[in-house]
Amino acid sequence: MIRRKLAARRNAAGRPSSSSDQPSQPSDAREAVRIDLSPLSGNGVPFSRISLALLSFVVLHIAGLFLFSSGFLLTRLELDTRNNCTSFRAPEGRSPGENDLGAGCWHPRRYDRAVLIMIDALRYDFTVFNETLEEEARRTGDNSSIPYYINKLPTIRNILESQPSHGLLFQVRADPPTTTLQRLKAITTGTLPTFVDAGSNFFGQMVGEDNIIDQLIRHGKRVTFMGDDTWENMYPHSMNESHPYPSLDVWDLHTVDNGVLEHLYPALERSPKDWDFLIAHFLGVDHAGHRYGPEHPAMAAKLTQMDGVLQRVFDLVEDDTIVFVMGDHGMDPKGDHGGDSENELNAGMFVYSKRPLLDTDAATAQLLERTLAELTKVDIGSVEPYPFLDSHRTTPQIDFVPTFTALLGLPTPFVNLGTLIPELFLVPNGATAGDASSKMRNLLDVTRINAWQINNYLIEYSRQRMAAKLSIYELGDLFQEAEAHYVKLDDGAEDVQQLLDVYLRYVTFTRRALIAARRIWARFDVPLIVMGSIVLSLAVLSLAVYRMVNWSRNLPVSRFALLAGGLVGIGASTTGTVRRAVRAVDRTGDSAMTVVHEAVFSILVGMVLAYLLSAVVQLFISRRTTVSTAKWVSPSTLLGLLLFVLNIIIPASDSFTVNEDSITVYLLQAFGLFNFTRALGLRNQKAREGLTMHGLLFMILTRISQMSVICREDQHPYCIPTFNATPTTSVAAPETLVILVLLIPIVALCGRSLLKGSDNYENTGFVLPAIFLPIAMVLSAGYWILDTIDSSEATTVEWAARFKLYWAKIGVLTAFGCCLFIWASDPNCVGLDVVDVKGEAGDGGPKKRLLINGLANAIGASYFVFVWIAYVVLAMVQKPMGGVMMAVGFLQLFCLLEMMHLWRDHAVKGGPTPTKKTHPGPAGIGV
């Protein structure tokens, strides 16, 4: 705790000390310190008992966090079952395995090879050509009205206009979380990955479930990969040819893309082909979004580059190859992703083939229109998945998986929940032309296989996790009903409407299965979260009870109560009481609670409840009154409890949660106002002035902190982001840099003032705050100035990018390294002084006296310097507005420390009606 210097050098005349029997001190001496260690006596409680109690509370907190985090991280059970060619029995009387891979495994294949061009963060509107804006720009000769991300992929528009049968554009909806790892898992498995997939690789990236890469390899297909190294982490040693590049440097827009291009074109030009599936994952668009946002020239440059790549890829592929151009997710207006906003969920997917994907005759077009129209009428119990969204053809992203495997004649991964895209299967088996009934029959047959695979997965998942309420019986009835109608069809049925009706029944089943899975997987595990919250709450309550009963009254904890509570908890865990209670109240039933979770919860809750009951009994039978109840109901205590409770109950209201930032500022302002008004009534002028000044400054800083706003999706449209220069960019405003620079001397002077006030402006307390920390802050601000120059003129100021890299590596890292090294080597902020004692002679001259400066706050000052270092290091990796807000927060901390010190000093020596004289506790030791 910060303590001011409470003794100063005396004048030459000297003043008498507080003890009448001591001689007066000379002018250059300081008052000798008297250290009262009675507060550390612990009321007679043995140190071993205190240590054991604290260890117990730590264990309780760790257990509560373990339970809470197990429920907060979305989980799903992984199944290791694989599909193969013999898994499905063909409907036309053929025995399993009769289809060889040449004709297709479960269904005749349409293509021999496939190319996947993955453009990371390819938002759907990036792929749509806006004719209105283009015409307006052409008419006025001004392109400024066209956003940097619009109309930059004209190759897609040209194919859709000139070769409509060779290209199809879809808006694909990604399931949250919209992170690259989870989306790639979904695109290759067809399931709904969560933040944590429960399985053998619990904390790993490697995919353990059935997937398209595994199906390709096991059926003799060759896979070539280049790009984002996430693929290599997911499928290690699975690719026949692999060229991974690191993906974490979002400031680097070109290294990965250039590496992909180095290998992509040669692979496409090889003859004969040594690959069957080629993956090229570009990262430039995603990195441009993270660094600059979509509204920036760098985004236009990357999309234009991708357009050239697509044009050349389409020229190089052969007739037996199908090309998928896809985004794994979108990006929000700032260029970030990971959430569930519309811009993050909506990605683009373009399918191209030199061979017609579908017939363009009137009959086929009419059949497709009729099929899609009927899909919009299917009752799936939810508004999503949408066949159309804002008039754009829309489909779930995982529909890629069964579509891809069916087109290449491969078994669909066992865990797939996607549904086939109908546009690609309205052709007769093995043909490119035919009547409407043969095309509809082909779509029906392949969709039936798709539905059979999903039904098998649901049955197996429910068998292995029996508590999962996947509506398996209702879904099973839907599937069997569709099967019954399929069997009734004649082999040569030509009634298109009859075939369409059966097809819609299978689609109803597959879509309802997807919705049921989303309902139980795309959610938090509420039972585990509640269990963790209960344990954490009991830990806080038990700590308060221990302080009031066992610590204050020096009463031992009842070991018998703990043992009895533990035994009750073991019994509850063994009999499954907790699990039955969870099943009774949890509507989804897919809680990931295990025997370990149940045992930890029941045993700890039993022990804590038993302890609380025994403490209450001890409190009633105890006759000791060592603790005054007045201190528990002081105004400061009441205010602290009130603000704490109000902050806790904020999530209980949706409106409070949406406006949590404003409410938090309100509570902080209430705290500052309370200190300000309470200080006005103090009679001690020094304390009154100090408290009112710091209370007012704290309120002003709290209001300033509200000027930086980052909006969540649920706060729109009433929230306007101010963190960056504009809501649609990731570049800092120039004035933010000016503020960041101006805050450097303010922070340095405030920190110096605080250390000087406690006599700790010595040793490391001088070297770091006076020299190294200001230099580090200057270097940090310099880096962000260079970064802003580089960001604002990314295509012309190339020197800024190179120079700032060396600036960060040499200057900033050296300064931070020196600060951390100096503090770790000697965190001491205490100084020594040797002074002459006038009037007292010694051998060979005046008598000397050794003074220790800053001893009263030796530990507090050291940790204050460490917090300062941490602030500087964190401010370096924040964008300019983040650095400004961290400086404001650091100054708020400074105000809090000063107010706490002033209130404490007032309580010790400045109370309104002191009953006895108290010793101020000087800051130095005289020897």
Side-chain angles (χ1 to χ4, degrees):
M1 190 63 61
I2 300 299
R3 295 201 51 146
R4 293 211 179 274
K5 178 170 61 177
L6 299 175
R9 296 182 182 275
R10 307 281 179 111
N11 53 31
R15 285 187 296 175
S17 67
S18 58
S19 179
S20 60
D21 58 343
Q22 295 293 330
S24 58
Q25 298 296 325
S27 60
D28 289 337
R30 294 194 187 187
E31 209 174 354
V33 71
R34 292 184 295 175
I35 302 176
D36 183 11
L37 299 179
S38 59
L40 302 179
S41 61
N43 293 339
V45 179
F47 180 76
S48 59
R49 189 190 302 176
I50 299 174
S51 301
L52 184 60
L54 292 177
L55 179 61
S56 301
F57 295 130
V58 170
V59 171
L60 275 176
H61 278 81
I62 293 175
L65 291 174
F66 164 69
L67 293 171
F68 186 91
S69 61
S70 298
F72 186 77
L73 298 176
L74 307 178
T75 59
R76 178 181 59 85
L77 177 66
E78 281 190 350
L79 302 181
D80 57 3
T81 309
R82 260 64 174 170
N83 276 332
N84 51 58
C85 284
T86 62
S87 298
F88 176 72
R89 295 184 176 273
E92 287 79 23
R94 297 180 297 183
S95 60
E98 206 171 295
N99 291 329
D100 57 24
L101 197 58
C105 190
W106 290 354
H107 187 268
R109 71 185 184 194
R110 289 191 63 187
Y111 293 94
D112 295 330
R113 295 182 181 85
V115 175
L116 175 60
I117 304 295
M118 183 67 67
I119 302 178
D120 209 291
L122 181 65
R123 205 167 72 190
Y124 176 67
D125 56 344
F126 294 1
T127 64
V128 178
F129 201 89
N130 192 313
E131 299 288 354
T132 303
L133 291 177
E134 186 71 16
E135 180 61 29
E136 179 67 18
R138 190 181 300 111
R139 183 179 62 82
T140 60
D142 182 13
N143 291 330
S144 60
S145 61
I146 302 180
Y148 289 111
Y149 56 86
I150 295 294
N151 295 354
K152 298 302 183 292
L153 298 174
T155 297
I156 294 177
R157 189 274 305 262
N158 295 338
I159 292 177
L160 293 175
E161 288 186 351
S162 61
Q163 307 175 60
S165 63
H166 295 261
L168 291 169
L169 180 61
F170 298 92
Q171 179 175 232
V172 291
R173 299 272 292 179
D175 293 286
T178 51
T179 56
T180 295
L181 173 63
Q182 310 303 333
R183 297 321 313 147
L184 291 184
K185 284 186 177 180
I187 291 170
T188 55
T189 63
T191 189
L192 303 175
T194 56
F195 283 112
V196 177
D197 293 331
S200 57
N201 56 315
F202 195 77
F203 292 104
Q205 294 185 355
M206 188 174 67
V207 176
E209 295 180 300
D210 200 2
N211 56 82
I212 60 175
I213 303 297
D214 190 41
Q215 290 290 346
L216 286 162
I217 298 299
R218 288 195 295 115
H219 289 90
K221 299 292 185 178
R222 299 157 297 177
V223 180
T224 295
F225 160 74
M226 54 206 70
D228 186 347
D229 62 354
T230 304
W231 288 85
E232 189 64 33
N233 296 330
M234 291 168 56
Y235 302 105
H237 313 297
S238 297
M239 315 294 183
N240 298 89
E241 181 181 346
S242 180
H243 305 283
Y245 294 89
S247 58
L248 295 180
D249 186 5
V250 296
W251 252 236
D252 185 356
L253 275 60
H254 307 294
T255 299
V256 176
D257 289 1
N258 292 340
V260 172
L261 295 178
E262 180 183 351
H263 301 284
L264 175 60
Y265 298 142
L268 292 172
E269 293 169 347
R270 291 174 196 159
S271 183
K273 305 297 183 187
D274 57 356
W275 53 267
D276 298 293
F277 183 40
L278 190 149
I279 306 169
H281 191 146
F282 293 90
L283 287 175
V285 172
D286 178 69
H287 287 186
H290 283 300
R291 182 173 179 182
Y292 305 111
E295 284 278 8
H296 194 274
M299 179 62 72
K302 292 309 299 184
L303 288 173
T304 301
Q305 181 189 25
M306 291 299 99
D307 184 71
V309 171
L310 297 183
Q311 181 62 61
R312 186 166 181 187
V313 168
F314 296 157
D315 291 339
L316 290 175
V317 295
E318 300 176 350
D319 291 351
D320 62 349
T321 304
I322 185 170
V323 181
F324 294 90
V325 181
M326 185 188 304
D328 56 343
H329 49 72
M331 64 174 66
D332 64 16
K334 304 185 302 296
D336 298 325
H337 58 87
D340 60 354
S341 67
E342 288 296 305
N343 284 328
E344 293 170 276
L345 296 179
N346 295 327
M349 183 175 76
F350 181 68
V351 186
Y352 172 79
S353 171
K354 285 187 174 179
R355 198 165 63 197
L357 293 168
L358 72 166
D359 295 333
T360 56
D361 59 277
T364 302
Q366 184 179 7
L367 177 61
L368 177 59
E369 182 179 355
R370 181 179 174 183
T371 302
L372 295 178
E374 291 295 329
L375 284 176
T376 61
K377 302 175 185 179
V378 171
D379 181 16
I380 58 176
S382 174
V383 295
E384 191 176 359
Y386 308 98
F388 290 92
L389 181 61
D390 298 330
S391 302
H392 299 291
R393 178 71 175 97
T394 306
T395 189
Q397 190 180 53
I398 58 176
D399 287 356
F400 163 78
V401 174
T403 303
F404 172 85
T405 54
L407 289 173
L408 268 66
L410 296 169
T412 303
F414 182 80
V415 297
N416 167 69
L417 289 169
T419 301
L420 291 156
I421 300 175
E423 287 90 330
L424 294 169
F425 298 94
L426 280 175
V427 294
N429 286 345
T432 57
D435 58 14
S437 62
S438 63
K439 296 174 181 178
M440 195 68 229
R441 183 72 190 214
N442 182 63
L443 175 60
L444 172 60
D445 287 343
V446 71
T447 304
R448 177 178 181 258
I449 299 172
N450 183 197
W452 170 89
Q453 169 266 313
I454 293 177
N455 184 61
N456 273 11
Y457 173 54
L458 296 181
I459 293 174
E460 181 64 17
Y461 190 92
S462 297
R463 186 185 67 82
Q464 294 200 27
R465 181 167 281 182
M466 299 180 65
K469 296 179 182 178
L470 272 167
S471 304
I472 188 64
Y473 297 110
E474 294 84 349
L475 292 173
D477 291 342
L478 284 176
F479 178 73
Q480 294 303 328
E481 184 180 348
E483 283 284 272
H485 283 79
Y486 181 88
V487 172
K488 293 179 182 178
L489 293 174
D490 297 331
D491 291 341
E494 296 181 359
D495 187 350
V496 174
Q497 185 59 48
Q498 189 179 11
L499 295 171
L500 179 58
D501 289 341
V502 180
Y503 164 74
L504 293 176
R505 290 181 183 274
Y506 281 119
V507 172
T508 302
F509 163 74
T510 59
R511 287 310 191 204
R512 288 200 173 187
L514 174 60
I515 293 170
R518 282 176 175 170
R519 187 177 298 117
I520 67 171
W521 293 333
R523 63 169 185 85
F524 297 114
D525 196 324
V526 177
L528 283 175
I529 290 179
V530 172
M531 291 163 62
S533 301
I534 291 174
V535 173
L536 288 172
S537 301
L538 289 176
V540 175
L541 178 60
S542 61
L543 179 60
V545 170
Y546 183 84
R547 168 65 178 85
M548 296 176 61
V549 179
N550 302 97
W551 169 271
S552 301
R553 302 173 182 273
N554 196 15
L555 296 175
V557 176
S558 175
R559 298 180 182 178
F560 173 78
L562 294 178
L563 178 60
L567 292 176
V568 172
I570 293 174
S573 174
T574 304
T575 58
T577 304
V578 177
R579 182 170 297 274
R580 287 196 299 271
V582 168
R583 290 183 181 178
V585 298
D586 183 25
R587 291 179 296 176
T588 62
D590 194 47
S591 174
M593 184 177 63
T594 63
V595 175
V596 175
H597 296 129
E598 187 177 5
V600 169
F601 175 77
S602 57
I603 294 174
L604 291 180
V605 169
M607 295 178 68
V608 173
L609 291 179
Y611 161 70
L612 294 176
L613 180 61
S614 66
V616 171
V617 173
Q618 287 178 313
L619 184 62
F620 275 102
I621 64 176
S622 174
R623 297 180 180 274
R624 304 181 184 183
T625 56
T626 55
V627 179
S628 173
T629 58
K631 67 176 62 177
W632 295 93
V633 292
S634 65
S636 299
T637 301
L638 289 177
L639 175 68
L641 290 174
L642 177 63
L643 295 179
F644 177 72
V645 172
L646 289 176
N647 191 56
I648 286 178
I649 64 176
I650 283 177
S653 169
D654 290 340
S655 59
F656 278 15
T657 301
V658 171
N659 300 285
E660 183 179 2
D661 50 349
S662 300
I663 295 173
T664 302
V665 169
Y666 174 80
L667 296 178
L668 289 174
Q669 292 284 59
F671 170 79
L673 183 62
F674 174 83
N675 282 275
F676 178 80
T677 54
R678 189 182 174 199
L680 293 176
L682 298 181
R683 290 187 297 179
N684 186 307
Q685 181 181 358
K686 184 177 180 181
R688 182 174 64 250
E689 292 177 353
L691 286 169
T692 53
M693 181 187 70
H694 288 100
L696 183 62
L697 181 60
F698 179 82
M699 289 190 287
I700 294 174
L701 290 171
T702 302
R703 179 59 61 183
I704 291 175
S705 68
Q706 202 176 18
M707 298 174 61
S708 174
V709 178
I710 298 178
C711 301
R712 301 193 306 268
E713 180 67 18
D714 53 3
Q715 293 178 314
H716 292 295
Y718 306 105
C719 179
I720 301 177
T722 60
F723 187 82
N724 297 307
T726 65
T728 57
T729 184
S730 296
V731 181
E735 55 268 24
T736 305
L737 291 170
V738 176
I739 298 174
L740 182 64
V741 173
L742 293 178
L743 281 171
I744 294 175
I746 295 176
V747 171
L749 291 175
C750 287
R752 175 184 174 184
S753 172
L754 191 145
L755 290 171
K756 275 192 170 183
S758 61
D759 257 356
N760 292 108
Y761 199 55
E762 306 276 356
N763 204 355
T764 300
F766 168 80
V767 174
L768 288 178
I771 303 174
F772 285 93
L773 286 173
I775 291 176
M777 290 189 289
V778 170
L779 292 174
S780 175
Y783 171 83
W784 287 110
I785 292 174
L786 292 172
D787 180 77
T788 302
I789 295 174
D790 180 32
S791 301
S792 60
E793 301 290 345
T795 57
T796 58
V797 188
E798 297 182 358
W799 63 268
R802 294 193 298 269
F803 186 66
K804 76 173 184 179
L805 179 63
Y806 292 106
W807 183 285
K809 287 184 176 180
I810 299 176
V812 177
L813 291 180
T814 300
F816 292 160
C818 289
C819 291
L820 291 172
F821 176 77
I822 292 173
W823 187 89
S825 301
D826 182 15
N828 183 15
C829 297
V830 177
L832 298 178
D833 234 349
V834 179
V835 297
D836 294 338
V837 181
K838 294 183 178 180
E840 296 186 23
D843 296 337
K847 190 176 180 179
K848 304 292 185 181
R849 184 176 294 273
L850 176 66
L851 300 179
I852 303 178
N853 302 322
L855 183 63
N857 188 41
I859 297 177
S862 177
Y863 281 106
F864 175 76
V865 173
F866 177 77
V867 171
W868 195 344
I869 297 173
Y871 147 68
V872 175
V873 173
L874 293 175
M876 166 62 193
V877 297
Q878 297 290 323
K879 291 186 177 181
M881 181 58 80
V884 170
M885 290 300 107
M886 289 199 68
V888 172
F890 184 76
L891 294 177
Q892 285 180 292
L893 177 63
F894 165 77
C895 292
L896 285 175
L897 292 174
E898 287 292 290
M899 286 190 290
M900 291 173 65
H901 148 70
L902 289 171
W903 279 119
R904 186 191 58 191
D905 273 7
H906 171 72
V908 171
K909 64 177 181 177
T913 56
T915 58
K916 61 180 180 178
K917 186 174 182 180
T918 56
H919 193 276
I925 290 182
V927 180

